[in-house]
């Protein structure tokens, strides 16, 4: 009986020790939970008012080099990559027949001056202009200053009218046409900055809005758009005409907003404040709502501050405007209106 009593006492003491240890652990957990503070960090968010665009760039000027009449090539005076001036002859077709016709016509004109009437002479003078133009059409000339981007023709080749033999480009600047939705056309202003990104170049390239027509177009998708013209005056050599891009038209300069969860805001006499985690300092702030769970800091903070929670997110069955300290959040009307984005 004595041994049995001792055993019961030992078991009782062990159980009491376990219960006591459990209570101590629970109390420590509760104290630790009470001491745990939710902290929110003030974040910086960049807001951009932009129109997204895409397309391909074109040279400032481009000429398709092609024959205006049929004939055999007698001379090719340039090669791909050469720089030419406006009016330079690029290639010459055989013009023997045209030269003969002009010389014969000049002889007939001289006879008409002696034996013909003034009306006949005037008619021949008009006809001579046509013959001179036919000789000019046997040459392919540069329409502007630029580089021969491509040329595929040789002496002796036989060409037909409109046969294309190459391309002349003036790449002093680049242009592009981009589609602007009808809802965004009113935002356009000549000179607006455009940021372009190309797959062949890691850095952004900048241009500007040059013009847009006073009439819209309907796409195959049934959307109404306006085609605006973009100009790029400075660009790297690796960007060539017909390269594709994505980009954005900058309607306004980017704005950096300071935002934080609204639960970091406390109120004293309906005036908002925050408490810094590091020092416990209470700082008055100016705010406006920013979405459902955030506010925008207008004054009082610089960004990246860590703030101690002042109100808890509302739970089901609780007053959503009451914080965990018993303070009432002011109605939304007192905080200001949601800023347009």
């Amino acid at each position: 009986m004595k041994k049995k009593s001792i055993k019961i006492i030992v078991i009782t003491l062990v159980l009491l020790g376990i219960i006591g240890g459990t209570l101590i652990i629970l109390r420590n957990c509760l104290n630790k939970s009470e001491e745990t503070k939710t902290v929110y960090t003030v974040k910086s968010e960049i807001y951009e008012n932009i129109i997204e665009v895409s397309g391909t760039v074109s040279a400032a000027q481009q000429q398709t080099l092609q024959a205006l009449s049929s004939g055999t090539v007698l001379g090719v005076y340039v090669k791909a990559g050469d720089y030419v001036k406006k009016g330079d002859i690029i290639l010459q077709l055989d013009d023997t027949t045209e030269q003969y016709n002009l010389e014969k016509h000049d002889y007939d004109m001289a006879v008409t001056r002696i034996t013909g009437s003034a009306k006949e002479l005037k008619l021949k003078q008009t006809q001579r202009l046509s013959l001179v133009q036919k000789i000019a059409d046997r040459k392919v000339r540069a329409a502007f200053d630029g580089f021969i981007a491509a040329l595929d023709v040789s002496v002796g080749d036989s060409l037909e009218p409109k046969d294309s033999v190459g391309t002349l480009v003036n790449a002093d600047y680049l242009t592009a046409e981009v589609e602007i939705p009808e809802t965004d056309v009113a935002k356009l202003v000549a000179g607006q900055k455009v940021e372009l990104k190309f797959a062949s170049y890691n850095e952004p390239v900048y241009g500007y809005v040059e013009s847009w027509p006073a009439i819209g177009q309907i796409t195959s998708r049934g959307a109404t758009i306006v085609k605006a013209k973009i100009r790029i005056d400075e660009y790297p050599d690796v960007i060539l005409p017909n390269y594709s891009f994505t980009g954005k038209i900058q309607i306004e300069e980017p704005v950096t907003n300071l935002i934080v969860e609204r639960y970091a805001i406390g109120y004293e006499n309906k005036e908002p404040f925050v408490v810094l985690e590091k020092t416990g300092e209470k700082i008055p702030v100016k705010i406006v709502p920013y979405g459902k769970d955030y506010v925008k800091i207008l004054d009082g903070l610089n960004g990246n501050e860590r703030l101690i929670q002042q109100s808890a997110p509302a739970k089901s069955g609780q007053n959503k405007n009451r914080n965990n300290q018993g303070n009432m959040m002011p109605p939304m009307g007192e905080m200001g209106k949601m800023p347009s984005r």
Side-chain angles (χ1 to χ4, degrees), residues 187-253:
K187 301 176 184 178
L188 292 177
V189 176
Q192 281 170 328
K193 184 168 69 174
V194 184
E195 180 181 308
L196 310 174
K197 292 186 177 179
F198 295 85
S200 59
Y201 191 63
N202 294 329
E203 299 296 326
V205 177
Y206 294 97
Y208 56 91
V209 176
E210 187 173 45
S211 62
W212 62 94
I215 187 171
Q217 300 180 27
I218 299 177
T219 68
S220 59
R221 306 183 304 274
T224 302
I225 56 95
V226 166
K227 289 192 174 181
K229 185 176 180 181
I230 292 172
R231 176 165 167 163
I232 306 102
D233 287 333
E234 297 182 6
Y235 62 95
D237 293 339
V238 295
I239 305 300
L240 301 177
N242 297 324
Y243 275 21
S244 62
F245 66 86
T246 59
K248 55 188 178 183
I249 299 175
Q250 196 79 56
I251 306 303
E252 297 174 342
E253 289 298 322

Side-chain angles (χ1 to χ4, degrees), residues 164-179:
S164 176
V165 297
T167 305
L168 170 67
V169 297
N170 170 11
D172 288 346
Y173 60 90
L174 299 177
T175 65
E177 277 193 342
V178 294
E179 295 185 356

Side-chain angles (χ1 to χ4, degrees), residues 320-341:
K320 294 183 179 180
N321 285 334
R322 185 179 298 277
N323 63 22
N324 61 345
Q325 295 179 345
N327 294 332
M328 295 294 292
M329 292 181 67
M332 294 295 286
E334 295 182 14
M335 294 173 66
K337 296 181 180 179
M338 174 67 74
S340 59
R341 300 188 63 189

Side-chain angles (χ1 to χ4, degrees), residues 64-239:
T64 299
L65 304 176
Q66 56 188 14
L68 297 179
S69 57
S70 60
T72 302
V73 178
L74 291 184
V76 179
Y77 306 112
V78 297
K79 61 182 182 299
D82 284 352
Y83 181 80
V84 296
K85 303 287 286 184
K86 180 179 179 180
D88 285 354
I89 300 174
I90 295 171
L91 65 89
Q92 169 76 58
L93 296 179
D94 179 13
D95 61 355
T96 304
T97 301
E98 288 73 19
Q99 291 286 359
Y100 168 79
N101 291 336
L102 179 60
E103 289 181 12
K104 184 177 183 304
H105 182 77
D106 286 346
Y107 174 79
D108 293 340
M109 258 181 53
V111 173
T112 302
R113 283 193 179 93
I114 299 171
T115 62
S117 65
K119 190 172 184 180
E120 286 177 319
L121 181 60
K122 185 175 181 181
L123 182 61
K124 285 191 175 293
Q125 288 173 336
T126 303
Q127 187 180 7
R128 187 180 192 280
L129 296 176
S130 175
L131 294 174
V132 170
Q133 184 60 51
K134 286 182 179 180
I135 292 175
D137 289 345
R138 307 299 285 175
K139 300 179 179 68
V140 176
R141 295 179 180 270
F144 49 79
D145 297 354
F147 288 91
I148 303 296
L151 190 65
D152 184 16
V153 64
S154 301
V155 173
D157 288 350
S158 180
L159 301 181
E160 295 297 325
K162 304 299 182 182
D163 279 353
S164 176
V165 297
T167 305
L168 170 67
V169 297
N170 170 11
D172 288 346
Y173 60 90
L174 299 177
T175 65
E177 277 193 342
V178 294
E179 295 185 356
I180 306 298
E182 60 178 319
T183 52
D184 289 331
V185 174
K187 301 176 184 178
L188 292 177
V189 176
Q192 281 170 328
K193 184 168 69 174
V194 184
E195 180 181 308
L196 310 174
K197 292 186 177 179
F198 295 85
S200 59
Y201 191 63
N202 294 329
E203 299 296 326
V205 177
Y206 294 97
Y208 56 91
V209 176
E210 187 173 45
S211 62
W212 62 94
I215 187 171
Q217 300 180 27
I218 299 177
T219 68
S220 59
R221 306 183 304 274
T224 302
I225 56 95
V226 166
K227 289 192 174 181
K229 185 176 180 181
I230 292 172
R231 176 165 167 163
I232 306 102
D233 287 333
E234 297 182 6
Y235 62 95
D237 293 339
V238 295
I239 305 300

Side-chain angles (χ1 to χ4, degrees), residues 10-75:
V10 171
I11 293 172
T12 301
L13 290 173
V14 170
L15 290 174
L16 289 174
I18 292 172
I19 293 171
T22 302
L23 290 174
I24 292 172
I25 292 172
L26 288 173
R27 185 179 66 182
N28 289 337
C29 288
L30 289 173
N31 290 339
K32 189 174 182 179
S33 176
E34 289 178 357
E35 292 174 358
T36 300
K37 299 174 183 178
T38 301
V39 176
Y40 299 104
T41 302
V42 179
K43 309 177 188 71
S44 296
E45 180 186 77
I46 298 177
Y47 167 67
E48 292 185 305
N49 187 2
I50 61 172
I51 301 174
E52 294 184 345
V53 295
S54 62
T56 57
V57 292
S58 302
Q61 294 174 287
Q62 181 169 314
Q63 177 188 356
T64 299
L65 304 176
Q66 56 188 14
L68 297 179
S69 57
S70 60
T72 302
V73 178
L74 291 184

